[in-house]
């Protein structure tokens, strides 16, 4: 089965600063990678996903992530964060053939300070 | 479209009580799933369904039952609640079971078992 490790449980950052949320995965099969965001008291929303092709993936709200197969990483970045980006971010991995075994990381709580 | 809806939003049960968490989607999605979210553990798959009449177990199925009589509805049943089932429960759906399909999440049900 796949597994995901999010290296930081909490990331505090000041508004307009850049941010990187780190994610490493392991799998014995071909995988797809996802970043989801959860705003307070809401369900998860898809930020971006990597299926194939270009290793740099752009998502909503100015976020992007880079797939690095050799380092088995899928780090999420934003060059300038806003207060409204305060949320919990989840990295997830699924086997390329089905969603039935999607595994989520423990989450990273991003707090943007004024 | 309402997307994925869940009821109730909050529920408190006593140990041994039973209840059903409701989930419905209006996107004609084949694939539906139930996750539980616990602090520091991300989301874990409980049960999933690839279509009406077809269900299967996920990573943490013990203590939960599901059925799928229609495409729209996927209820989760707790037959005899235990304190270990205190959690936030999310229902999700996607167009298909393929690993690249985006999952759409409901707003969640926060369950406390005393």
């Amino acid at each position: 089965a796949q597994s995901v490790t999010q290296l930081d449980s909490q990331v505090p950052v000041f508004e307009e600063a850049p941010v990187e949320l780190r994610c490493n995965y392991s799998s014995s099969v071909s995988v797809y990678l996802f970043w989801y965001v959860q705003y307070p008291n809401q369900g998860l929303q898809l930020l971006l996903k990597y299926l194939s092709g270009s290793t740099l993936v752009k998502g909503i709200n100015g976020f992007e992530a880079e797939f690095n197969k050799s380092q088995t990483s899928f780090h999420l970045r934003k060059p300038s964060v806003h207060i409204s980006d305060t949320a919990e971010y989840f990295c997830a991995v699924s086997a390329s053939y089905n969603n039935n075994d999607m595994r989520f990381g423990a989450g990273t709580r991003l707090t943007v300070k004024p | 479209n309402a997307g994925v809806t869940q009821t109730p939003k909050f529920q408190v049960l006593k140990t041994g009580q039973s209840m059903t968490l409701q989930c419905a989607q209006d996107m004609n999605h084949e694939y539906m799933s139930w996750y539980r979210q616990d602090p520091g553990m991300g989301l874990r798959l409980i049960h999933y369904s690839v279509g009406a009449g077809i269900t299967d177990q996920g990573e943490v199925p013990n203590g939960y039952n599901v059925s799928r009589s229609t495409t729209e509805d996927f209820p989760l049943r707790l037959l005899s609640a235990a304190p270990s089932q205190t959690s936030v429960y999310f229902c999700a759906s996607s167009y298909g079971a393929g690993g690249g399909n985006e999952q759409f999440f409901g707003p969640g049900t926060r369950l406390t078992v005393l």
Side-chain angles (χ1 to χ4, degrees):
Chain A
Q2 300 75 245
S3 68
V4 176
T5 302
Q6 290 185 242
L7 299 167
D8 307 291
S9 60
Q10 298 187 57
V11 173
V13 64
F14 287 105
E15 194 173 19
E16 298 184 4
V19 71
E20 178 180 79
L21 307 184
R22 298 179 294 167
C23 171
N24 287 103
Y25 71 93
S26 67
S27 177
S28 58
V29 300
S30 178
V31 296
Y32 296 146
L33 294 155
F34 305 80
W35 276 99
Y36 283 86
V37 59
Q38 184 181 32
Y39 298 106
N41 300 313
Q42 294 187 27
L44 279 70
Q45 302 173 32
L46 182 68
L47 268 180
L48 48 81
K49 63 181 178 182
Y50 173 78
L51 303 184
S52 65
S54 172
T55 57
L56 184 62
V57 180
K58 294 189 182 298
I60 62 172
N61 300 340
F63 284 93
E64 63 181 32
E66 186 156 18
F67 171 60
N68 188 319
K69 188 173 182 179
S70 62
Q71 297 189 8
T72 61
S73 68
F74 191 55
H75 300 334
L76 181 71
R77 301 185 183 100
K78 186 169 183 178
S80 176
V81 294
H82 302 288
I83 298 288
S84 59
D85 292 322
T86 294
E88 186 132 22
Y89 292 79
F90 293 94
C91 182
V93 59
S94 72
S96 59
Y97 48 87
N98 66 51
N99 266 341
N100 305 343
D101 202 16
M102 179 173 278
R103 298 301 173 105
F104 287 80
T108 297
R109 182 171 299 278
L110 175 65
T111 303
V112 181
K113 305 175 183 179
Chain B
N1 286 350
V4 179
T5 58
Q6 292 183 237
T7 56
K9 291 188 186 302
F10 301 95
Q11 183 70 48
V12 178
L13 293 178
K14 294 180 179 178
T15 297
Q17 287 185 314
S18 63
M19 79 160 296
T20 299
L21 308 185
Q22 302 290 346
C23 173
Q25 52 91 9
D26 61 359
M27 298 174 280
N28 201 32
H29 284 169
E30 293 180 355
Y31 182 84
M32 296 185 74
S33 54
W34 276 102
Y35 292 88
R36 59 178 289 172
Q37 182 181 27
D38 300 295
M41 301 188 73
L43 279 73
R44 292 179 292 169
L45 182 64
I46 304 172
H47 284 285
Y48 64 91
S49 168
V50 298
I54 306 170
T55 64
D56 207 343
Q57 298 179 352
E59 186 184 0
V60 288
N62 292 342
Y64 308 95
N65 282 347
V66 292
S67 60
R68 183 113 178 256
S69 56
T70 67
T71 300
E72 294 78 18
D73 300 299
F74 190 43
L76 178 72
R77 298 184 185 86
L78 285 71
L79 298 180
S80 179
S84 61
Q85 294 178 303
T86 293
S87 187
V88 181
Y89 292 85
F90 289 100
C91 179
S93 73
S94 66
Y95 178 71
N101 287 296
E102 175 184 355
Q103 295 203 64
F104 293 83
F105 286 82
T109 295
R110 186 174 295 273
L111 175 67
T112 302
V113 183
L114 302 176

